[in-house]
Each structure stands twice: as structure tokens, then as C-alpha cells.
Amino acid sequence: MTENPAHTSLWPAPHASDAVDATVHVPGSKSVTNRALVLASLAAEPGWLRRPLRSRDTLLMAEALRTLGVGIEEGVGPDGTGEAWRVIPAGLAGPATVDVGNAGTVMRFLPPVATLADGPVRFDGDPRSYERPLHGVIDALRALGARIDDDGRGALPMTVHGGGALDGGRVDIDASSSSQFVSALLLSGPRFNQGVEVRHTGSHLPSMAHIRMTVDMLRAVGAQVDEPETGGEPDVWRVAPGALLGRDLVIEPDLSNAQPFLAAALVTGGRVVIPDWPARTTQPGDALRELFTEMGGSCELTEQGLEFTGSGTIHGIDADLSEVGELAPGIAAVAALADSPSTLSGVAHLRLHETDRLAALTKEINELGGDVTETADGLHIRPRRLHGGVFHTYDDHRMATAGAIIGLAVEGVQIENVATTAKTLPDFPDLWTSMLGGPRT
Ligand SMILES: O=C(O)C1=C[C@@H](OP(=O)(O)O)[C@@H](O)[C@H](O)C1
Ligand SMILES: C=C(OP(=O)(O)O)C(=O)O
């Protein structure tokens, strides 16, 4: 096998000799963009997405929906400002092939959409996508009336034989390995003949923030949703059948991708402003205001955006990150530079993300001289003096940004395959060097 040159390329992570002082415009949210694309494609009328994220995960989502017949055109938003996608729903049809890459949102949100297509829709993706859990979606769709051919493992690759409609109704699933199983069924639920009632039967449910985002965005396009947090039964979500509105939606900046920049303020004792930080949001990244304050910074939401200031001291943290697991790699990186130990818990499911994130963080931080151990559901991080070396990323964007955070404080860190940040933040190396006042690469 020829070696992928991207995997051998090493990016010298910039070391910060001074406190950062920068304003960083963070591109749109992956999770909001991909939900908005699905909902706009299932709507009864055209809609707009303004300032959508253009990254590998969202371009794969847009391409897949186009393959199924949806019109997604480049344009300028209705008010004449900002880049936008105009989404024109159409009858969905196969035969089609969807490349999910390694995007959890594409591999989980689109099979329910494919049941509504007329004809077979084949799903395939990166080798890692074959290992990521999908059984919750496959089993649920079968129970709701879909025909799906897989190789019996409940994973990719597979073919959904769309029949043009799905009965829908009540289904039990165990979503303890990914909240995206629940989000996937709810997002297409309004288009199922009987809507959908999803009952989570597992012992715990990760990433509740992302389920709230699904419910919020469904309601914003006119869907009727009953859910546990507004008086519904625990672990039960109901979506009524009905037509969805086409909306003009401005996509919020990706607050999880704001994390490395906020971390830079914390690590260097500097100041970073993130414009357009929403005053109210369901994004898990909003929890960084509290988490990074506990770790030694302070923040203020001003007219300019979120202004985050580091104090020059970083404290360890004991945090249950189950609701916001996406933030764990960045928190682990900061914790490795703190003045006291940290315990991160509630994130066993990170072993099934882009890579086994608990193993990868442990190995890579320890190879720089750190002292990290895995627990059943997280990490113990005891800060030690770190040294330079190669930080491997395992095709995981959040490993690359975690390594860059460490590189700010530790000279000689080289990130292998920084290009993997293209999954959700293709501009990362440029944004990072600009933040530090250096030339764009
Ligand atoms: O629905 C979403 O947009 C996401 C849900 C979470 O998935 P898991 O529940 O599988 O962790 C999160 O980690 C992922 O990055 C995005
Ligand atoms: C887990 C993540 O992605 P995915 O949507 O592929 O699950 C992530 O972005 O941290």
C-alpha cells in the first residue's frame, strides 16, 4: 500500500512566546449546518442557509442530498449579504451512492432520509466509518418498516432500499453509543407517515446538547416535538407527521471549533475575541464559558462577541463531559498544561469517535512526557513538564487541534497530518498562525 503523503507531513505547531491578543472569526457550526441541510431538503418549500460551514463533513452532506435529487445552489442570501446555499427540495430518488467519509452526521442522519427515496441508496465511507456504531439507526429503521441490506454487523457499508415513504411509529433504541441515533430518527420523523416516537432504552445517553439542538431546529421549521425536557416522559421523544417550512437561517459559528482559540488565551494568559458568539444556543461549545473559567480564565459576552481572557494560570478540572463530549480532546490538552490534576468522566463513547480518542490522547500526551491514564469512562491527567515530539492525529480533527494547543506551551511539537482539520475547519492552520500574528501559510 502506498503511504498517504498527508500522513507523513509534519506541521510545526507554533510556539507562543507572547500572550495572544486576537479576534478570530470562526466558520459555521458543523452540527447546525448538517441539520439545516437535512431539514431544508425535507421541507415543503425552498429555504436558505446563510454562512454555512464548508468543510469535508458538510460538503459530503450537501453532495449526498444533491445525489438524492435535492437542489443545493450557491448564492447570496436574500438580504444580499454573505455567502449562502439555496436549498430546493425535490422528490428523492435512487439509485444513488452516498459517501459518508467519516462524518457521523452523514452516516446517521441520511439513512432515515434514504427510506423516503424511491429506489436503492448505497452508503459507503472511509474505513473508520465501518467501525463506528450504526446499529441503532439500522435496527430502528427496520422496525419502522424499512428494507436495509448490510453485511450483518449493523454497520457500513449498506444499502437502504427506499420505498418512497416510511410508516414510522414507535421504536425502542439504545443510543448509549451515540446521541446521533436519536437525532437521526427525529430529523426525518415529520416525513414518516405516522411521525416517530423514539424511546431510548440504554443506561445513559451522551451528548444531550446535540439532541436539544435537534429538537430546537425541528421546532424552528414548524415540527411538533414532545420531549423529556419540556414535560415529556423521560427518554422519550415524539415527532408528529407534518410539512416542514423552508427557512432563511444564519448558521452560528462553530463553538466547538472556537475551543482551540479560547484555549490559546487560557494557555498564553492572553485575550481572544470570537465574534458572533450567540447569546442563546444549543451548541455544546457554549459550555466552554464555564469550563474554561473554572480552568483559570474569565469571559464576557460583549457587542464584539465572546471576549475570553486567560489569567496566566491554568487549573485542573474534575468534569463530567457526557453532555458535551466533543469538547473533551481540547480540555484534555489544556489539562495537560495545568497546575493541578484533572479527571474527565462520562465520555466512554469517545472510543467510537473519529478514532478511539481516549487511547489516542493518552498515547500522544504521554509520548510528549505527560502522565495520562484512561479510566472506564474518561481520563486522569496529571500535568508534567512536556517536551517536543511528533503528535499523531489518527485522522481526527480534534486530535490535531489538541496537539496545536499543547504546541503553544511546549517547543518542538509537530502535528502529523494537520490537514485532517478539514473535516470541520479547513482554515485551521491559517486561522491559528494569524491569531499568533504570523504569516498565513
Ligand atoms: O449530532 C451531532 O451533531 C453530534 C453529536 C455528537 O455525537 P455523539 O453523540 O456520537 O458523541 C458529537 O460528538 C458529534 O461531534 C456531533
Ligand atoms: C465526534 C465528532 O464528529 P462526528 O460528527 O463524525 O461524530 C466530532 O466532530 O467531534
Side-chain angles (χ1 to χ4, degrees):
M1 210 171 88
T2 32
E3 206 164 3
N4 180 345
H7 289 221
T8 53
S9 74
L10 296 178
W11 182 68
H15 180 251
S17 32
D18 296 313
V20 301
D21 186 1
T23 294
V24 182
H25 290 267
V26 176
S29 156
K30 164 196 80 171
S31 292
V32 175
T33 300
N34 275 358
R35 280 169 175 74
L37 279 170
V38 170
L39 291 171
S41 300
L42 296 176
E45 56 191 356
W48 289 94
L49 269 67
R50 278 196 268 168
R51 293 193 226 151
L53 173 67
R54 291 159 198 274
S55 73
R56 184 171 188 231
D57 279 14
T58 62
L59 295 175
L60 284 168
M61 180 65 96
E63 194 44 42
L65 291 163
R66 284 193 187 106
T67 307
L68 293 173
V70 178
I72 301 176
E73 298 171 357
E74 296 292 337
V76 182
D79 68 352
T81 59
E83 280 189 89
W85 275 331
R86 180 162 172 74
V87 182
I88 305 161
L92 305 171
T97 298
V98 168
D99 176 7
V100 308
N102 189 12
T105 48
V106 183
M107 72 180 86
R108 280 122 185 191
F109 296 175
L110 286 190
V113 174
T115 66
L116 302 169
D118 217 339
V121 183
R122 170 136 187 101
F123 286 83
D124 208 338
D126 294 357
R128 175 63 177 171
S129 73
Y130 292 15
E131 295 165 7
R132 297 189 67 185
L134 197 58
H135 55 86
V137 173
I138 295 177
D139 294 347
L141 290 176
R142 283 185 178 136
L144 295 174
R147 182 154 80 85
I148 299 176
D149 287 337
D150 69 335
D151 63 8
R153 293 183 309 121
L156 289 178
M158 65 166 183
T159 300
V160 175
H161 295 275
L166 194 77
D167 289 342
R170 178 185 153 158
V171 70
D172 290 356
I173 62 169
D174 177 353
S176 48
S177 58
S178 176
S179 66
Q180 291 176 344
F181 297 168
V182 175
S183 289
L185 296 164
L186 300 185
L187 285 169
S188 289
R191 289 287 305 272
F192 299 160
N193 298 340
Q194 302 166 41
V196 75
E197 177 179 314
V198 178
R199 293 181 166 260
H200 166 62
T201 57
S203 56
H204 61 281
L205 185 56
S207 313
M208 269 308 296
H210 281 107
I211 296 184
R212 274 181 215 122
M213 180 187 288
T214 300
V215 170
D216 211 55
M217 290 185 68
L218 272 162
R219 286 180 173 155
V221 293
Q224 195 196 312
V225 188
D226 293 335
E227 42 97 30
E229 291 185 335
T230 44
E233 251 179 274
D235 290 332
V236 178
W237 292 260
R238 279 188 205 94
V239 180
L244 299 179
L245 307 171
R247 280 200 51 199
D248 175 2
L249 181 70
V250 182
I251 307 293
E252 300 169 356
D254 193 310
L255 307 187
S256 297
N257 276 339
Q259 183 180 32
F261 305 100
L262 300 178
L266 194 51
V267 166
T268 67
R271 175 181 159 273
V272 165
V273 176
I274 310 284
D276 301 317
W277 193 284
R280 182 195 160 270
T281 179
T282 50
Q283 285 194 63
D286 200 36
L288 288 167
R289 294 198 281 161
E290 217 169 291
L291 290 164
F292 277 173
T293 298
E294 198 178 331
M295 295 185 88
S298 58
C299 65
E300 198 186 343
L301 207 45
T302 70
E303 297 246 298
Q304 278 65 49
L306 184 75
E307 181 175 332
F308 188 84
T309 311
S311 60
T313 308
I314 310 168
H315 306 307
I317 190 170
D318 281 350
D320 179 341
L321 298 177
S322 58
E323 292 221 355
V324 296
E326 208 178 57
L327 306 177
I331 292 177
V334 174
L337 305 169
D339 62 5
S340 59
S342 294
T343 303
L344 310 184
S345 59
V347 286
H349 71 293
L350 261 64
R351 297 191 165 96
L352 302 165
H353 276 180
E354 280 78 339
T355 186
D356 175 342
R357 286 180 167 163
L358 300 185
L361 287 162
T362 303
K363 180 160 188 299
E364 296 308 312
I365 296 174
N366 287 353
E367 289 204 343
L368 299 182
D371 182 4
V372 180
T373 44
E374 279 187 57
T375 64
D377 72 339
L379 297 173
H380 276 311
I381 302 162
R382 286 160 297 268
R384 288 223 303 227
R385 193 178 173 79
L386 302 182
H387 54 71
V390 175
F391 195 90
H392 298 93
T393 56
Y394 310 90
D395 296 320
D396 184 348
H397 54 145
R398 298 199 201 282
M399 284 300 292
T401 50
I405 294 168
I406 293 174
L408 289 171
V410 179
E411 270 184 275
V413 174
Q414 302 193 76
I415 311 291
E416 170 258 346
N417 189 19
V418 75
T420 196
T421 50
K423 186 175 192 285
T424 59
L425 188 55
D427 302 334
F428 176 72
D430 274 352
L431 289 169
W432 197 247
T433 44
S434 303
M435 170 190 73
L436 295 166
R440 291 168 76 88
T441 52

